[in-house]
Amino acid sequence: DVQMTQSPSSLSASVGDRVTITCRTSQTVSSNLNWYQQKPGKAPKLLIYTASNLQTGVPSRFSGSGSATHFTLTISSLQPEDFATYYCQQSYSTPGSTFGPGTKVEIK
Amino acid sequence: QLQLQESGPGLVKPSETLSLTCTVSGDSINGSPYYWGWIRQPPGKGLEWIGSLYYSGNTYYNSSLESRVSISVDTSKNQFSLKLTSVTAADTAVYYCAPAPVTGYYPVWGQGILVTVSS
């Protein structure tokens, strides 16, 4: 099974900050890495698919990059509505998939 | 517009079977090449893929749950269902249904249903 790690596990940031979250996989997943945002009590929301493609309707301040085993999600200018938990997901082994443990973005 | 809705009991006793249904609207389960999946999230924890049903009828399960899980489809009702046997408190979670195209990401999710395992 593909193991996932995310760093940091949590971070505190201010509105307007640039935020970067890292996801690493235990083996290559090519570009089959996706990012989700989850707010309390809500289902996850797809932000980025296949490493760098912005899902329709997602603000352009979100971007993704990486390949193989190392991926990043960047929020270029953090907005109040971006405080949430972010998960990466590998879909290289589709239909099986694995999610990262999550990164909680909190207000400084 | 594709929409999904989970339904089922919110409370299940230990050792019994958890049964949930996902009702799909806006598309036909057997008409589009999706993996119709179940994903769960224990309170305060991360997301775990449980299993998926391909539109052709094939099923795929997480190896850690394979001995206890089954997913089936009712095309006449445009629903797919999850059964998890011999539940314990560790199966307490919010259960989501979601479809994935062959590329494996989940663009649409149901709202989720909290299932608590307790006597």
Side-chain angles (χ1 to χ4, degrees), chain A residues 72-96:
Chain A
T72 59
L73 172 71
T74 300
I75 309 172
S76 60
S77 177
L78 197 66
Q79 298 302 300
E81 60 268 30
D82 300 336
F83 292 95
T85 300
Y86 293 84
Y87 293 95
C88 57
Q89 175 224 1
Q90 67 81 15
S91 51
Y92 183 77
S93 54
T94 291

Side-chain angles (χ1 to χ4, degrees), chain B residues 14-65:
Chain B
S15 79
E16 295 190 345
T17 297
L18 178 158
S19 297
L20 297 175
T21 296
C22 180
T23 301
V24 178
S25 58
D27 202 346
S28 170
I29 285 178
N30 62 355
S32 299
Y34 287 130
Y35 292 96
W36 300 92
W38 287 97
I39 297 153
R40 70 179 182 178
Q41 185 172 37
K45 297 188 177 181
L47 299 157
E48 179 182 36
W49 172 75
I50 299 170
S52 297
L53 169 83
Y54 195 46
Y55 81 118
S56 61
N58 293 343
T59 53
Y60 307 86
Y61 302 124
N62 187 322
S63 58
S64 68
L65 299 168

